[in-house]
Amino acid sequence: MTDAPDLPPRLALAWGVAERPERTPKRELSIERIVDTAIEIADADGLGAVSMAKVAQSLGFTTMSLYRYVTSKDDLLLLMQEAALDVEYPPAHEPADWRAELREWAQFTMAVFASHPWFLDIPVTGAPLTPNNLRGADSALRALRSTPLADEEKMSVILLVSGYARNAARLQSDLARAVTEAGADETVLGGGWGGALRDLVDEVRFPYLRPLVEAGTYAEEGAIDDTAWGLERVLDGIAVYVDARAAGAPGAGRRAPASDDPPAPAEAAGTDPRDAVAPVEMAVHVKDPKVKKATLKRRDAERRVREAQKKVRELEKALREAEKAERETARAAVEKARG
C-alpha cells in the first residue's frame, strides 16, 4: 500500500507516500478532488453533511470508486484538516520578538479555524503527525527561538497557546452557529434578557454576579475584546516564566521521577507544590460525604431564601398595585368633586 510501511494508511496519504490508483483519461478522479469537494460541502453545510456518498454524488462517481483513493471517512476527515492547514504562516520578526510572533501565530491559527469552522468538529484522535500540522508546530517553535526555554518547555508553551486559540475559536464558532440557527436573532447571546435576569439573579444566591447583571455588564456587549484580552493574559504568564528562566530559575511542571526513592521537595524538583495539592482538594470536595451533606444543607437554605424572596416580590407587586389603585381612586374622587 505505501512506500513507508511504518505509517498507517491515512498518514501515508497525508504525507503523499501512499500508492495511488491508476487513472484513465475518461475518469479523472483524484485524492485532491475528493478532499476539495468534501471541504466545499463542509464549508457550506457543516461537517455533518460530509459523507462518502455525498462527495461521490457531487463528483459524479459511485461511492465505491472513492474507496480506491480514500479508504474510510476518517481518512477523508484527516485529509480535509490537512488541506485546511496548507497555509503560509506569518513571517519571522528580525530581530526576534517571541511575544509578537507567538501572538501572530495564535491569531493566524484562530483565523484558519474561523475560515473552516467544521475543523473543530473533528475529534482529536492523537498527536498531530501530518506534514501541515507539523509545519504549524515548526512555525510556533520558530517564534520561541530567542527564548531560553528547553525543548519540552517550548512544546508546553505551544500546547498552551494552541489550546487557548482552539477554545476561543470554538466559542466564537458555536455562538455564530447559535445566531444562525435562531434566524440571525442575536438575542440568543443574552443581550435581550437583561430585564429578566435582573428579576431572577438575586444578591443572596449570586452575590458577585448580581452587581454585573444590575449594571448590564453581564448580558450586554462590552468594550473589551475577550479573545484578544485572554490571549494577552496567556502571553503575560508565559513572559513571567521566560524571564524567570532567563534569570536562572529552574524549570517547572516536570513529572516526579519514577522510583522507590522518596520524592524531592517540590521546589528542588522545579515544580509547584500547589500542582499536587489542588487536584486532591477538588477530589475531596466532590466525593467526601460530609462535604456533600453540607452542600445539600446550603442548597436547601438557598432554596428557602429564594422562596422568601419570591414572596417578598409578590407582596411588593401587590403593594405597588394597591398604591396605584389608591392614586387612581383619589384622582377620580377629586375630578368628581370638581365636576
Side-chain angles (χ1 to χ4, degrees), residues 64-250:
M64 289 306 299
S65 64
L66 263 64
Y67 285 103
R68 298 179 60 240
Y69 296 83
V70 181
T71 55
S72 71
K73 182 180 176 181
D74 287 342
D75 292 359
L76 176 59
L77 295 180
L78 181 81
L79 294 175
M80 289 169 62
Q81 284 187 312
E82 183 66 4
L85 293 174
D86 188 11
V87 291
E88 289 301 322
Y89 287 84
H93 288 220
E94 294 299 341
D97 183 338
W98 74 262
R99 180 164 181 146
E101 293 181 51
L102 198 58
R103 179 191 299 112
E104 291 174 1
W105 183 83
Q107 292 170 335
F108 186 82
T109 300
M110 285 186 275
V112 171
F113 292 152
S115 65
H116 300 292
W118 50 264
F119 189 105
L120 299 171
D121 293 331
I122 299 178
V124 176
T125 57
L129 298 173
T130 55
N132 288 334
N133 247 313
L134 295 178
R135 283 180 58 245
D138 186 76
S139 178
L141 287 169
R142 183 191 67 191
L144 296 170
R145 67 191 182 283
S146 62
T147 69
L149 303 182
D151 291 345
E152 283 189 272
E153 292 172 317
K154 291 178 181 178
M155 291 305 301
S156 293
V157 167
I158 294 173
L159 182 62
L160 172 63
V161 176
S162 64
Y164 177 81
R166 189 180 186 92
N167 184 64
R170 161 66 75 185
L171 179 60
Q172 293 299 320
S173 174
D174 287 350
L175 292 176
R177 184 180 303 166
V179 172
T180 300
E181 292 176 353
D185 180 6
E186 294 194 359
T187 60
V188 297
L189 303 181
W193 308 109
L197 287 176
R198 288 186 185 93
D199 292 336
L200 296 171
V201 178
D202 59 77
E203 63 277 3
V204 174
R205 192 179 183 191
F206 308 98
Y208 302 103
L209 181 61
R210 172 66 188 179
L212 277 68
V213 171
E214 201 165 16
T217 307
Y218 177 74
E220 297 177 7
E221 187 71 24
I224 294 178
D225 181 335
D226 294 327
T227 300
W229 187 92
L231 177 58
E232 290 307 311
R233 303 297 72 76
V234 171
L235 295 174
D236 285 345
I238 296 171
V240 170
Y241 187 77
V242 168
D243 290 345
R245 293 289 279 129

Side-chain angles (χ1 to χ4, degrees), residues 257-263:
S259 70
D260 296 331
D261 298 330

